[in-house]
Structures are given as structure tokens and as C-alpha cells.
Amino acid sequence: MPNLPRRRKPGAIKAPRFARFSRVRKSDAAAGRPRRGIFLLPNAFTTAALFGGFYAIVMAMNQRFDQACWAVFIAMVLDSLDGRVARLTNTQSEFGAQYDSLSDMVSFGAAPALVIYEWSLRGLGKLGWIAAFVYCAGAALRLARFNTNIEVVDKRFFQGLPSPAAAALVVGFVMMMTDPDINVSARKVDWISWGIALFAGLTMVTNVPFYSFKDVNFRKSVPFIVVFLIALALALLAIDPPKVLWPLFVVYGLSGYVVYLWRLAKGKPVSIIQTDEETLDPSERR
């Protein structure tokens, strides 16, 4: 007996032709889930910092070292703002955190390494590009370790020299040496440049603690003299930025070793990874 097609029940909806061969995925909006997007404001600051690093690379390749150094410093300012803007506007996201790390790798890893290599390390041959690579690799390892240890590190200290400070240490030296008042030939200080690049690169991957200034409460009232000292510092900076900025970052680059030796002398744990012996007050955590 032949098989006859079944009759559809009254009111049944006819399935579209070839429906069994098509798989239509519901959109997030149709499923009642909010669509994923990218917050514009903090990521705009990150993009601007990334542009500063890329611009520094282009200017270094064109032998415009003064503009390259200033581009890195401007990227530092923008990098310090994107996280604060995200917290103030409640627009933090995992995408923003990863994007910020990639931007930092360009602005404070690749750009300073290329700037100092093009300025003075090129004449040292293999030793020159090895020092530049050590700095670049140190920045990459520093950023990767920061992302993985962010939940277990004492917020009051950075584990190793932060990459923006390392970049300022490298490009600040180039900016000071190319200042018209100093105008020192790169060939006269090529080994000093080599030592600075190695010092900055290796210090980024050490366990030396550097004060992070994250426990400073800007909402508290301060004495009048503090405001006056800030105004005085800005005035000194405006007089001759290259000669003021680089010594400040040299002091900061050496301060971590002072803290390291002080903690060692006091018998405190040298590592800033949180342990049972040394725990933070909950009010000091961010």
C-alpha cells in the first residue's frame, strides 16, 4: 500500500522550504541579551596613546628624535588617563584592559627601543640591537606578568619597573642629549645609552618593588604648602623640561632598589606577592 502524505492539522504553521537545511541563529537582542559593545571614551584615550607610540617610531626612523621623545611622553599622559576615565565613568571592560596592554607594548616597549637604537645603539653593531631587544622583550614580559599577577600583587608597589617609567628613562636620556643647550654627539655616549637600555629592560622583569602611588588619596585635604610645592615643581618643569624630567625618572628608577635593600635589612619579605606573613588591610586594596 503506498504511503500517502500526512495532512496538516488545521491552524498549523507551514515550515519554510528547506528549513531543515538552514540553521538560523537568534541575535543577542532577539534572545533578550544585551549586545556587546566597546566603550568609546576610555578606548579613545588608549587609541591616542597608541598613536603616540606609532608616531614616535615614524619620527625616529626619520631622525626626528625630539618629536619622537615628546610623542612617548604624551603617550604616557594619555595612558595614565584611560584607566581613570574608565573608573570614573564606570566603563571598565576586559577588552579595554587587553587593548591597553597592547597599546603599552607599542608606546613603551617597541617605540623607546627603536628610538634609542636609531639614535646611538646602531653604531655598536650586534651589541646595540641586542640591548634594544632586551629592553623590548623586558617590556613585553613586564606587561604579561602584570596582567597575570594583578590580583595577588601588593597594590602599593609595582613588581619591577613599570613600562612607562622605563620608557621615560630611555627616551628622556635621548631628549636631554639632543637638547640644543647640551648637543652631545650620540657616538660619545653610545655605551651609556647601551647601559641605560639594559638597566631599564632588566629592571622591568625583576622583583624589585617600585612605589605605585595608588594609595594616595586625592580627596583628602592637604596643607597649603603642598599646593605651593606642586606649583613650584610645575614652574621648574616649564623652565627646561628635558633637564628636569630625566633626573626625576632616574631617581624613581633607583628608588626601587633602595626599597628592596630597606625591606631586606628590616627582614620583611622582598617579594611583593601577597603571602600569609604579609597581608594588606582591606581598606588599602582597590
Side-chain angles (χ1 to χ4, degrees):
M1 184 175 180
N3 294 328
L4 298 176
R6 296 180 180 179
R7 293 183 178 181
R8 294 195 306 270
K9 294 181 180 180
I13 301 175
K14 183 180 179 180
R17 194 176 184 183
F18 306 115
R20 60 178 178 173
F21 299 107
S22 63
R23 295 185 178 182
V24 181
R25 184 179 178 182
K26 293 182 178 181
S27 64
D28 291 339
R33 295 190 299 267
R35 295 182 61 184
R36 291 187 177 182
I38 299 174
F39 295 110
L40 176 62
L41 190 58
N43 290 299
F45 280 93
T46 306
T47 304
L50 176 61
F51 175 79
F54 179 78
Y55 183 80
I57 292 175
V58 174
M59 290 298 103
M61 294 172 63
N62 292 328
Q63 305 297 307
R64 304 289 297 274
F65 298 109
D66 53 344
Q67 296 186 20
C69 294
W70 277 117
V72 174
F73 276 106
I74 293 173
M76 288 177 55
V77 176
L78 295 171
D79 179 70
S80 66
L81 293 177
D82 58 0
R84 288 174 172 80
V85 169
R87 288 188 292 270
L88 288 174
T89 57
N90 196 22
T91 54
Q92 304 99 316
S93 66
E94 184 63 23
F95 173 85
Q98 298 302 323
Y99 186 34
D100 181 68
S101 295
L102 294 174
S103 173
D104 289 351
M105 181 57 211
V106 175
S107 300
F108 311 130
L114 185 61
V115 168
I116 198 166
Y117 174 78
E118 288 289 333
W119 183 65
S120 66
L121 297 182
R122 179 188 288 272
L124 298 179
K126 291 183 178 180
L127 290 177
W129 65 258
I130 286 175
F133 174 74
V134 168
Y135 174 86
C136 190
L141 293 171
R142 167 71 176 78
L143 292 168
R145 184 177 63 178
F146 176 81
N147 290 337
T148 55
N149 291 348
I150 191 170
E151 298 296 334
V152 295
V153 173
D154 188 341
K155 302 300 182 183
R156 297 170 298 176
F157 296 95
F158 290 118
Q159 187 182 13
L161 184 66
S163 56
L169 196 62
V170 171
V171 301
F173 177 73
V174 177
M175 185 168 62
M176 188 175 68
M177 291 295 103
T178 56
D179 186 82
D181 295 336
I182 299 177
N183 196 18
V184 175
S185 172
R187 299 283 71 81
K188 295 181 180 179
V189 292
D190 49 4
W191 287 107
I192 298 178
S193 302
W194 185 83
I196 291 174
L198 279 183
F199 172 81
L202 295 176
T203 305
M204 280 190 284
V205 297
T206 61
N207 286 327
V208 176
F210 287 86
Y211 187 57
S212 65
F213 300 97
K214 291 184 177 180
D215 59 344
V216 178
N217 191 350
F218 292 98
R219 297 182 180 180
K220 284 186 177 181
S221 60
V222 294
F224 176 78
I225 189 63
V226 175
V227 180
F228 175 75
L229 291 176
I230 293 175
L232 182 61
L234 293 175
L236 292 175
L237 182 62
I239 293 175
D240 200 339
K243 296 177 183 177
V244 176
L245 284 175
W246 191 69
L248 290 177
F249 283 103
V250 169
V251 172
Y252 182 75
L254 297 176
S255 66
Y257 291 95
V258 175
V259 174
Y260 178 87
L261 295 175
W262 179 80
R263 291 167 71 96
L264 196 64
K266 293 291 183 179
K268 294 185 177 182
V270 175
S271 176
I272 60 174
I273 302 295
Q274 288 301 297
T275 60
D276 293 336
E277 288 78 10
E278 184 186 21
T279 57
L280 275 179
D281 186 6
S283 62
E284 295 177 347
R285 296 181 182 272
R286 288 190 60 180

